Amino acid sequence: MTNEYRPIFNRKYLVGLVWFSLIAILILSSMGPGAVKYHSIENNDSKTIYWMELDDQPMQLVFLLATQPALNNTQQQLQQLKSLILQQRLRALASPTYSYNVNPKQDRIEVTLSWASGQPLPELNTIWKTLNKPVDSVRWKEPFTKIQARYYLADQSEEQKLINYFYQQLQPSNNTAVLSLLNDSYLGLFDAPIFAISGEDAEDYVEVIEEQLPHSLQSHQTQKAQIKSAALVREQSLGDRFRLLLGQSLPPRASQDFVTHRITAQVVQDLLTEYKEQHKLNFRILWASLKDIGFQALIFEGDQNPEPILPQLQQQINEDLVEQSKNRLAANWQERMRDNMNQVTALSLIAFYQLPTDTMEIYIDQILDQDADDIIKQTQQALDRSQPISLFQSPVL
């Protein structure tokens, strides 16, 4: 007598298991990675120290040192030279208990000190006094020559010449030698510092920082660009490509119009990305919103004159495109803020630009609440060749 074989899992069971698995996958994928946890930001009464508590994270203290906007070559080279001096002075104070980093930006220099949680606070008073010493410009002649050489090589491309023209209109140079500006400009770094600290029990360090570092100094004054509208400048270039730059100044970072202009830049980016292959057109966007000025420049490059394409691009701007760009911008922000280190970066921005302490949490709502008609109007204006700063390069025929 033979025994009948009966499989443990029959056909109906296996089919049901497959369908159950598919449904579970769909449900889990629709749930997404979950809500972002935004860490709260606080500041002292004088708004010179901002902090963020991060459990089980190393400590990080950032000196936010305001500078003149580093746009033209003189200010850019000066920014690099001041950063080099800060680095060398910190190197002379090297300690195994903390690490340091110097990061030059367009309107500030960030000096970051990092140490393990539970380790003693670095000797801030000693560090500050060492950094805040007058500079002998003669000693820095050779390092500056190397900085000049790097800028000279970078300035040889036709596109960089176009960009330099734009920055020169935003921030005209007075032809003063960089080394003669060095000492006053370097000491100006320490006129009105702002400090941002993050890590475990960050608030416990605030009182010590107030004791060892300055927290109520003179207001830092920077030059504000005054741009006058001008006709489109046309010139011939030695290259074989057409180039068109359309530039304008924008409000500073703390302006109420910041979000509108930020969305506009995203719409332009998305629009040009979609149509660059169709029109065989390369493009680049320069965009920034700094402490005292903002700016935007669109640079088009191609084998044909890009001017006739501008009205076609303007016609493609509609509410659907704006909504897509707003959603993309909001989604990118949310994804970035999942990383604690990106929230630490946002802490420094909020501190330096004196933004509301809940900026991280409300930023997405600000993006999504912007009126689409306002964005469409701003984007169409950005693609109009009658910009305050406009330059057209054509190849020599």
Side-chain angles (χ1 to χ4, degrees):
M1 180 178 176
T2 60
N3 294 325
E4 182 180 358
Y5 172 71
R6 295 179 180 274
I8 299 176
F9 302 111
N10 58 36
R11 181 184 178 88
K12 289 184 178 179
Y13 181 87
L14 291 174
V15 171
L17 183 63
V18 170
W19 277 107
F20 176 81
S21 299
L22 289 174
I23 293 172
I25 291 172
L26 289 173
I27 292 174
L28 290 174
S29 63
S30 66
M31 292 173 64
V36 175
K37 177 185 177 182
Y38 291 102
H39 298 280
S40 62
I41 295 176
E42 298 181 68
N43 59 266
N44 61 349
D45 293 338
S46 60
K47 294 186 177 180
T48 55
I49 304 176
Y50 287 68
W51 63 89
M52 175 191 293
E53 299 278 355
L54 288 174
D55 293 338
D56 302 320
Q57 294 294 319
M59 304 304 303
Q60 178 171 295
L61 173 63
V62 185
F63 299 178
L64 300 163
L65 310 176
T67 68
Q68 297 289 344
L71 304 181
N72 64 36
N73 268 355
T74 297
Q75 291 298 329
Q76 288 179 7
Q77 293 173 21
L78 191 58
Q79 198 85 327
Q80 292 297 321
L81 187 54
K82 289 185 291 188
S83 299
L84 180 60
I85 295 170
L86 289 167
Q87 287 176 333
Q88 291 207 9
R89 291 184 171 182
L90 284 166
R91 189 177 299 125
L93 292 170
S95 168
T97 61
Y98 68 89
S99 61
Y100 65 86
N101 182 55
V102 178
N103 192 8
K105 303 290 187 179
Q106 284 186 306
D107 57 356
R108 66 192 184 279
I109 298 177
E110 297 182 355
V111 176
T112 303
L113 305 178
S114 303
W115 64 97
S117 177
Q119 291 294 316
L121 186 73
E123 292 291 335
L124 299 181
N125 189 263
T126 301
I127 294 172
W128 187 260
K129 287 181 177 179
T130 300
L131 296 181
N132 189 10
K133 290 180 180 179
V135 175
D136 180 3
S137 59
V138 175
R139 179 187 170 190
W140 296 96
K141 184 175 181 179
E142 183 177 345
F144 174 63
T145 301
K146 295 179 180 179
I147 292 174
Q148 275 186 311
R150 291 199 300 269
Y151 273 85
Y152 175 80
L153 292 174
D155 289 346
Q156 299 312 299
S157 72
E158 293 298 322
E159 183 181 73
Q160 190 58 48
K161 291 176 182 177
L162 201 67
I163 294 172
N164 288 346
Y165 170 83
F166 172 64
Y167 284 146
Q168 181 67 25
Q169 305 309 305
L170 281 174
Q171 187 183 41
S173 176
N174 60 8
N175 297 319
T176 305
V178 170
L179 288 177
S180 66
L181 298 171
L182 178 58
N183 188 57
D184 288 345
S185 180
Y186 182 82
L187 293 179
L189 290 173
F190 309 96
D191 284 347
I194 296 175
F195 307 100
I197 184 167
S198 59
E200 190 166 20
D201 299 324
E203 187 174 5
D204 295 345
Y205 293 87
V206 172
E207 185 176 348
V208 180
I209 294 172
E210 287 182 326
E211 291 175 353
Q212 297 195 30
L213 295 176
H215 59 279
S216 181
L217 295 181
Q218 61 187 12
S219 176
H220 190 282
Q221 298 296 322
T222 58
Q223 298 173 354
K224 298 184 180 181
Q226 299 293 329
I227 300 176
K228 298 180 180 179
S229 297
L232 176 66
V233 176
R234 296 181 181 273
E235 65 179 28
Q236 289 187 320
S237 68
L238 298 178
D240 59 354
R241 307 271 283 174
F242 290 85
R243 293 181 182 83
L244 174 65
L245 182 146
L246 303 176
Q248 60 179 313
S249 62
L250 299 176
R253 177 60 183 89
S255 167
Q256 293 181 347
D257 297 326
F258 165 79
V259 177
T260 299
H261 290 287
R262 180 63 189 91
I263 298 172
T264 298
Q266 184 67 48
V267 175
V268 171
Q269 175 85 25
D270 294 342
L271 175 67
L272 295 180
T273 298
E274 182 177 352
Y275 287 97
K276 69 176 183 178
E277 294 298 333
Q278 175 183 335
H279 295 294
K280 297 180 179 179
L281 185 70
N282 294 327
F283 72 92
R284 180 177 177 182
I285 299 179
L286 303 178
W287 190 93
S289 189
L290 308 178
K291 195 174 187 68
D292 292 310
I293 186 177
F295 59 82
Q296 176 177 283
L298 310 181
I299 301 174
F300 303 89
E301 179 184 349
D303 294 329
Q304 304 295 324
N305 182 357
E307 288 184 275
I309 300 174
L310 297 178
Q312 301 175 38
L313 293 173
Q314 288 175 315
Q315 292 176 4
Q316 303 301 321
I317 304 167
N318 53 46
E319 189 169 340
D320 287 342
L321 175 62
V322 171
E323 291 304 317
Q324 291 172 12
S325 297
K326 287 166 62 176
N327 290 333
R328 179 175 290 107
L329 194 59
N332 289 343
W333 176 259
Q334 184 176 35
E335 190 60 32
R336 285 177 57 206
M337 291 301 104
R338 294 188 188 282
D339 187 335
N340 281 342
M341 290 303 98
N342 288 333
Q343 292 199 29
V344 171
T345 299
L347 166 68
S348 292
L349 295 176
I350 289 169
F352 183 73
Y353 294 120
Q354 303 286 276
L355 304 177
T357 54
D358 62 349
T359 294
M360 286 194 299
E361 298 97 317
I362 67 175
Y363 186 48
I364 288 179
D365 289 338
Q366 290 177 326
I367 292 171
L368 299 179
D369 289 344
Q370 293 299 306
D371 184 74
D373 291 337
D374 292 340
I375 306 299
I376 292 172
K377 181 179 178 181
Q378 291 278 2
T379 309
Q380 289 175 336
Q381 289 177 352
L383 292 168
D384 193 310
R385 69 178 187 177
S386 60
Q387 293 294 304
I389 303 175
S390 304
L391 178 63
F392 177 74
Q393 289 181 342
S394 59
V396 177
L397 302 178

